[in-house]
Amino acid sequence: INVFARGVMSAGRAMLVSTGIPTSTTVIAVSHIMLSIGFLLYSASAFSTVEKFVIAGYLNEISTWVVVGAAVYLALGAVTGFHSLKMKVPISRALIALRAFFVLVTLAALIFGVVLLYNAGLEMTLVLSDETLEERWNSYAQGTVSERTEVCNFMLDHKCTGYTQNCYYTDVNGTHQNTAVFSTECNVQLCTSTEQQTGEGVGICGSVAEGIVLKSLLPLMVVAMICVLLTVIDAIFLFRLIRLARFLGG
């Protein structure tokens, strides 16, 4: 009986190896871990180097969720890698259940993350608070002294004015006048005369700010979608393993 049992297990191992599932699972696990580490490093770099202003506060609203998503994805890589090392006949149902749990949780976290990044980067809206980048700009423009100073500095650094409109025009005497003193986005009376050299032909700050946000978040969106794809592939190999376990009676 022992000889027969060893023969069945040997045949099972041969069948398991022939499917390529162990090797493919190892590759997927390594990919999970490398992508999650890269995701975290890029996020830390992007969120820490962006200029301190409306944009930094805007990105900080989603930074926690980005870190959580990357951590969950890293955990999936660890579980998948551990399973690939422990994969044998009979196939452990406990490890299959654990891995299936992490696959489902990771998929949910990544899909939420993609929606979060899409809205923050392309729609310029924070899903969690429903606040737009323009609303944050207006809040700074009529906020504290330091916040209004940051608005002025941003206008000076990027040679732009207002968020959706040019706040100044050049009159016949060549001086700059505020065209919308009472508008929210132009409420920056603290700006010096130097910072107000924003006459005709100068860009609108809204497009500049949105460009900076998009440049920071677009790589994260691409990586997040790749992570979703790899997680689906992980689920496919797991499903194949479950089918094989049932076939072998393990």
Side-chain angles (χ1 to χ4, degrees):
I1 295 176
N2 290 336
V3 174
F4 176 76
R6 285 196 295 268
V8 171
M9 292 182 63
S10 178
R13 289 193 190 95
M15 184 177 295
L16 179 61
V17 172
S18 67
T19 62
I21 294 177
T23 302
S24 300
T25 301
T26 302
V27 172
I28 289 293
V30 172
S31 300
H32 287 334
I33 294 172
M34 291 180 64
L35 271 175
S36 61
I37 293 175
F39 196 82
L40 285 170
L41 290 176
Y42 175 80
S43 300
S45 174
F47 293 159
S48 63
T49 58
V50 69
E51 54 191 295
K52 293 182 178 180
F53 177 59
V54 180
I55 300 170
Y58 183 80
L59 293 179
N60 286 338
E61 291 286 335
I62 64 172
S63 61
T64 300
W65 294 96
V66 169
V67 171
V68 169
V72 171
Y73 190 67
L74 179 60
L76 173 65
V79 170
T80 301
F82 179 76
H83 191 197
S84 68
L85 296 175
K86 295 295 183 179
M87 200 174 293
K88 60 182 180 180
V89 178
I91 298 172
S92 172
R93 293 180 181 272
L95 283 178
I96 286 180
L98 179 64
R99 185 173 157 201
F101 171 78
F102 272 93
V103 165
L104 293 175
V105 170
T106 303
L107 271 178
L110 288 175
I111 291 173
F112 175 77
V114 169
V115 173
L116 189 71
L117 292 171
Y118 175 85
N119 279 274
L122 296 181
E123 299 295 331
M124 295 298 159
T125 303
L126 293 173
V127 173
L128 302 175
S129 63
D130 200 31
E131 181 184 33
T132 65
L133 183 60
E134 181 178 355
E135 289 171 341
R136 187 172 286 269
W137 169 285
N138 293 338
S139 175
Y140 270 61
Q142 60 183 346
T144 63
V145 173
S146 61
E147 288 175 340
R148 282 182 287 172
T149 300
E150 288 183 20
V151 173
C152 294
N153 290 338
F154 187 90
M155 292 167 58
L156 177 63
D157 293 341
H158 296 279
K159 295 181 173 58
C160 61
T161 175
Y163 192 89
T164 61
Q165 67 185 74
N166 193 317
C167 296
Y168 301 94
Y169 73 98
T170 304
D171 63 15
V172 292
N173 297 319
T175 59
H176 298 283
Q177 303 294 330
N178 193 328
T179 63
V181 175
F182 300 105
S183 74
T184 302
E185 65 183 76
C186 295
N187 184 21
V188 285
Q189 292 91 339
L190 293 181
C191 293
T192 65
S193 58
T194 301
E195 292 164 342
Q196 292 177 358
Q197 302 306 306
T198 52
E200 298 176 358
V202 176
I204 303 300
C205 289
S207 59
V208 177
E210 291 174 3
I212 294 173
V213 170
L214 189 59
K215 182 180 179 181
S216 300
L217 296 185
L218 189 57
L220 291 178
M221 291 174 59
V222 173
V223 173
M225 288 186 284
I226 293 174
C227 291
V228 170
L229 177 61
L230 286 176
T231 304
V232 170
I233 294 174
D234 193 335
I236 292 173
F237 281 114
L238 180 59
F239 178 72
R240 290 179 58 191
L241 184 63
I242 293 173
R243 290 183 60 186
L244 180 62
R246 289 178 177 176
F247 176 78
L248 297 175

